[in-house]
Amino acid sequence: ILKRPSSDPKLIHSDTSNEYWQFRASLTGTTEGGRMDLTESSRVRRYLLSSLQHGSFKGDAPHYGIGNRQCEQLSNPVHPGPLLRALTVALDDWVRTRTMPPPNRVPRIADGTLVAPDALAWPKIPNVKYAALFNGSAERDFGTRTMGNAGIVDKLFPDVVYTHRVLVPQIDALGHDIAGIRHPFVEAPTATVLGWNTRRPEFGGDDLCDLLGSMIPLPKTRAEGDAAGDPRPSLQELYGDRAGYVAKVEAAARNLVAGRLMLPEDVEMVVREARESEAWK
């Protein structure tokens, strides 16, 4: 769209992890064949909100989707508000004062943080199915009277000309997206939080569970993890105690503030929520 530099708008484009699985967000930054990163316009900044689901309301309790029984895992409760508020301010500053926004933070093919779903380094968390399913897309033939997404459709069930290679963010040992803006509750987690979820058998089996993510709590101790066959580190191993956890959340928040990816006034809120976290009860 951006072909008129004298009048083109400045854009900040944000995607959650869910957009990569459900809405093929990788195609905004790669070739259709998924072999090469595209060069970004200087008037666009793109950010991945790492490991977050499509959307939620602040304070929503984790749930299992429709009827509280649609999805295999509880929904992802991490709210993107602190990150989006900072990006809104960055856009306002960019337009009004020409202050450049933070650099792009998206997964890329070149550095190995954007991969095919079957190349994901899944950590084999107990009772979590990973089927490498995603919402695909393709170029389709709707008949000879259509061209460039316009015209008269003769084939109501179009022929697939070729499929696009959809890619997803690569993850770390806990299952969290490596690239992007990592919310303090992703950088210092008490659970593995994902941008996707899967359906229970009566709602379609392994298919993605709509726009919801997942939350799988970490074991509290190594003994608890070993008993469950859970390879992920425990809260005790990661933080020692609640005070250690709160300190790491605060450090992660202040690091985002330094990069202009969180507002200073949101640090207190995030730290307070860490102090009150149910994970330590």
Side-chain angles (χ1 to χ4, degrees), residues 142-279:
F142 290 91
T144 58
R145 294 190 291 172
T146 62
M147 180 176 294
N149 293 323
I152 299 173
V153 173
D154 294 313
K155 298 180 181 180
L156 295 180
F157 298 95
D159 298 326
V160 174
V161 180
Y162 66 89
T163 57
H164 301 148
R165 187 167 183 254
V166 175
L167 306 176
V168 297
Q170 184 57 284
I171 56 177
D172 61 19
L174 287 178
H176 295 143
D177 298 341
I178 295 170
I181 309 173
R182 287 168 56 119
H183 190 290
F185 296 157
V186 174
E187 186 67 20
T190 59
T192 292
V193 289
L194 307 171
W196 54 269
N197 205 327
T198 51
R199 292 168 175 259
R200 295 185 183 181
E202 64 268 33
F203 282 90
D206 293 338
D207 284 344
L208 295 177
C209 200
D210 299 342
L211 306 181
L212 296 179
S214 303
M215 178 188 71
I216 307 100
L218 294 172
K220 291 186 178 181
T221 64
R222 184 66 267 147
E224 181 182 307
D226 290 342
D230 194 333
R232 298 174 299 163
S234 67
L235 296 181
Q236 189 178 63
E237 291 171 299
L238 287 172
Y239 310 112
D241 55 17
R242 182 189 290 271
Y245 164 65
V246 172
K248 288 198 175 182
V249 167
E250 182 171 1
R254 295 199 181 283
N255 185 54
L256 289 176
V257 170
R260 297 172 53 228
L261 296 168
M262 182 179 282
L263 303 179
E265 52 265 40
D266 278 334
V267 173
E268 181 181 351
M269 176 190 68
V270 169
V271 171
R272 182 181 69 252
E273 290 176 358
R275 291 196 186 101
E276 298 171 353
S277 171
E278 296 284 336

Side-chain angles (χ1 to χ4, degrees), residues 21-79:
W21 293 91
Q22 280 283 31
F23 298 107
R24 306 167 291 277
S26 66
L27 296 175
T28 64
T30 70
T31 56
E32 292 175 347
R35 305 294 177 186
M36 183 185 306
D37 298 306
L38 297 177
T39 301
E40 302 286 354
S41 166
S42 63
R43 301 180 76 87
V44 177
R45 291 294 184 273
R46 290 196 304 120
Y47 305 98
L48 164 65
L49 309 182
S50 307
S51 296
L52 301 192
Q53 67 182 28
H54 178 74
S56 61
F57 292 100
K58 179 69 174 173
D60 274 355
H63 58 87
Y64 291 102
I66 294 173
N68 203 31
R69 64 184 183 91
Q70 177 191 18
C71 307
E72 289 283 355
Q73 308 299 329
L74 286 168
S75 60
N76 184 339
V78 181
H79 193 264

